[in-house]
């Protein structure tokens, strides 16, 4: 049974006080929770969010890391630093990193490996552009992006989550239909099966991201291969994010 994970990617939003208020609201409500909850603030605020969420069910993740263990890499942050400030998770390969910062699969495979080496759980993000979907290339693109797992052993897969985020659905208000999401997730699970076998494929969580809101979360999370949500805009305020967590709890109950 896969435990649903509801993750908020705050991206480059929320100043310290805003992030503290939001994380306090979440931590206050969820001392424990039937689903896993994760928030990923901007890196300057990881420490302050760690302080407000400590001892609650709200886990802390970073939005990015660099693969080198330390050294002369101006502007970058390594896995040890993320662990040091209280992160247990890191996002790797978000489409905004791929699109705006030129991150490619070879680099991302190194980042995934570095995150795992430093004891972090890694959310590897994949997803096709609109033009790629329209050209019928969705599965080819997803298969190629799964190369982010190139250095991940079967044992390490327990600390990997995949996030399917179709780029055309991110921040656009256009959500993938439940059929589109389920189809892509089933394809990704098939990819996991061919890489790691049936047991690992069926144990690995695959999140959906792209305009997840309170009113579409339950339907998406009820799909058999959708094991959680990676939420952008709707994770920036307590009420809509809590509504998505509650939808996760309901979906978890339905599935068990
Ligand atoms: P939105 O929920 O704002 O579409 O963003 C999705 C996303 O990119 C989460 O990582």
């Amino acid at each position: 049974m896969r435990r649903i994970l509801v993750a908020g990617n705050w991206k480059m939003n929320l100043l310290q006080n805003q992030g503290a208020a939001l994380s306090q609201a979440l931590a206050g409500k969820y001392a424990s929770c039937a689903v896993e909850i994760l928030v990923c603030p901007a890196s300057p605020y990881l420490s302050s969010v760690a302080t407000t969420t400590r001892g609650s069910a709200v886990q802390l993740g970073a939005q990015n890391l660099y693969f080198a263990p330390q050294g002369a890499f101006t502007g970058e942050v390594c896995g040890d630093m993320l662990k040091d400030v209280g992160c247990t998770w890191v996002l790797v390969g978000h489409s905004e990193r791929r699109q705006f910062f030129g991150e490619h699969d070879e680099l991302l495979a190194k980042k995934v490996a570095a995150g795992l080496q430093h004891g972090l759980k890694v959310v590897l993000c994949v997803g096709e552009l609109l033009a790629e979907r329209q050209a019928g290339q969705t599965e080819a693109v997803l298969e190629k992006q799964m190369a982010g797992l190139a250095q991940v052993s079967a044992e390490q897969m327990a600390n990997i989550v995949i996030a399917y985020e179709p780029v055309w659905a991110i921040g656009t208000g256009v959500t993938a239909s439940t059929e589109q999401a389920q189809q892509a997730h089933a394809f990704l699970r098939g990819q996991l099966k061919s890489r790691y076998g049936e047991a690992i494929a069926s144990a690995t969580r695959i999140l959906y991201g792209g305009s997840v809101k309170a009113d579409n979360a339950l339907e998406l999370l009820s799909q058999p291969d959708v094991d959680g949500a990676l939420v952008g805009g709707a994770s920036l305020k307590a009420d809509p994010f809590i509504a998505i967590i509650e939808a996760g709890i309901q979906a978890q109950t339905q599935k068990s």
Side-chain angles (χ1 to χ4, degrees):
M1 184 68 209
R2 297 183 294 267
R3 188 160 170 220
I4 285 179
L5 168 62
V6 179
N9 174 10
W10 295 356
K11 307 190 180 184
M12 201 171 70
N13 295 298
L14 303 180
L15 295 177
Q16 182 157 250
N17 288 344
Q18 298 168 311
L22 174 54
S23 52
Q24 252 157 21
L26 297 172
K29 183 162 174 71
Y30 297 108
S32 65
C33 188
V35 300
E36 283 195 69
I37 304 168
L38 170 65
V39 294
C40 301
S43 55
Y45 306 128
L46 288 168
S47 285
S48 75
V49 174
T51 307
T52 54
T53 54
R54 194 164 293 132
S56 77
V58 181
Q59 303 174 68
L60 182 68
Q63 299 173 14
N64 184 28
L65 88 170
Y66 193 59
F67 64 81
Q70 60 181 57
F73 300 99
T74 301
E76 294 295 320
V77 170
C78 65
D80 264 352
M81 294 171 178
L82 298 181
K83 285 284 284 187
D84 199 30
V85 295
C87 290
T88 48
W89 291 86
V90 62
L91 308 183
V92 172
H94 192 279
S95 65
E96 287 146 19
R97 302 289 323 164
R98 294 176 190 262
Q99 270 189 297
F100 306 136
F101 303 97
E103 297 197 354
H104 49 80
D105 294 317
E106 204 180 320
L107 171 69
L108 296 173
K110 290 184 187 173
K111 291 189 172 203
V112 170
L116 294 172
Q117 246 159 34
H118 288 95
L120 295 162
K121 297 177 199 169
V122 175
V123 180
L124 172 65
C125 306
V126 297
E128 80 287 0
L129 302 167
L130 181 58
E132 292 167 336
R133 174 164 283 269
Q134 287 170 339
Q137 294 166 347
T138 299
E139 293 188 350
V141 169
L142 297 181
E143 183 171 354
K144 182 175 162 294
Q145 292 176 342
M146 290 294 267
L149 297 177
Q151 300 178 35
V152 181
S153 69
E155 294 68 40
Q156 290 174 315
M157 280 303 290
N159 289 322
I160 291 280
V161 167
I162 306 294
Y164 170 61
E165 297 205 308
V167 180
W168 47 271
I170 295 177
T172 57
V174 181
T175 319
S177 68
T178 48
E179 294 76 20
Q180 285 170 323
Q182 169 56 29
Q183 200 173 13
H185 283 229
F187 175 78
L188 288 167
R189 202 171 302 286
Q191 290 294 304
L192 291 171
K193 187 176 168 189
S194 58
R195 283 175 175 266
Y196 295 102
E198 175 74 47
I200 287 176
S202 59
T204 304
R205 290 175 290 183
I206 306 175
L207 314 183
Y208 170 79
S211 298
V212 177
K213 304 274 183 275
D215 59 7
N216 60 23
L218 181 59
E219 204 187 345
L220 285 160
L221 293 170
S222 300
Q223 298 304 304
D225 286 297
V226 177
D227 310 312
L230 182 52
V231 186
S235 74
L236 298 176
K237 289 199 170 130
D239 287 350
F241 193 54
I242 286 171
I244 295 169
I245 295 168
E246 293 296 315
I249 296 169
Q250 210 178 324
Q252 185 81 74
T253 311
Q254 285 169 8
K255 287 178 174 184
S256 57

